[in-house]
Amino acid sequence: MAKKSKKQQPGGTPATVALTAAGVAHTIHSYDHDPAHSSYGEEAAEAMGVSPDRVFKTLVADVDGALTVAVVPVAGSLDLKALATAVGGKRAAMADPALAERTTGYVRGGISPLGQRKKLPTVLDESASAHDTICVSAGRRGLEVELSPTDLAGLTHATLAPIGRG
């Protein structure tokens, strides 16, 4: 069962520090990460007992040479063409994982759309708006944050667009 806490833990991640500093209502969910699990997002949904359509993964793509963050449901995948269109680009491809880690300051499977080392354009799949709250990585494997999609979009200056495919 996931542990829930609204208090900032000492030594929090940049994502949890950013949320606390912004005064945004959120809930932290932690669970024991299993390195053998095939999908970080599906593992998070299972561990928290949350529907996979409410758990979103953070992906970093290269759109016309510029890194861009895409936040889509873990149950689906990213439509790269739709992402490029959403940011006014022509072509998108998944970013090099090492570059994504260096740029965001997070490791794969723990990249959060919040508190990144470098501010990147962010697109949130429009399906998020169908939920009161969604879960995204809180900055490390085994740590998720639940917050309203409106707050997430506001903090990341995200564009809402249909970038996920189910």
Side-chain angles (χ1 to χ4, degrees):
M1 190 71 179
K3 296 177 224 162
K4 295 182 183 183
S5 169
K6 287 195 181 194
K7 287 191 160 191
Q8 174 64 42
Q9 301 298 319
T13 68
T16 61
V17 169
L19 283 165
T20 301
V24 169
H26 63 282
T27 303
I28 300 294
H29 299 271
S30 64
Y31 59 91
D32 293 326
H33 166 63
D34 176 3
H37 203 289
S38 62
S39 166
Y40 297 119
E42 289 174 10
E43 177 190 25
E46 291 167 12
M48 294 185 301
V50 174
S51 173
D53 66 336
R54 282 189 49 229
V55 179
F56 284 64
K57 56 189 169 187
T58 306
L59 303 171
V60 181
D62 178 317
V63 179
D64 298 336
L67 292 182
T68 303
V69 174
V71 185
V72 297
V74 300
S77 60
L78 171 62
D79 181 334
L80 288 164
K81 185 172 182 162
L83 176 64
T85 300
V87 295
K90 292 182 182 182
R91 179 174 295 161
M94 293 307 298
D96 172 71
L99 178 60
E101 289 180 345
R102 276 194 315 275
T103 304
T104 64
Y106 294 116
V107 297
R108 259 188 323 165
I111 294 178
S112 177
L114 300 158
Q116 294 182 357
R117 182 177 287 153
K118 182 178 180 191
K119 182 93 179 96
L120 298 173
T122 301
V123 182
L124 175 60
D125 185 66
E126 68 182 8
S127 68
S129 61
H131 306 286
D132 291 335
T133 61
I134 60 171
C135 298
V136 296
S137 175
R140 71 171 180 257
R141 296 171 189 154
L143 194 66
E144 293 280 312
V145 62
E146 182 176 352
L147 73 166
S148 81
T150 303
D151 285 339
L152 177 62
L155 288 171
T156 60
H157 305 288
T159 300
L160 260 66
I163 60 167
R165 56 179 173 216

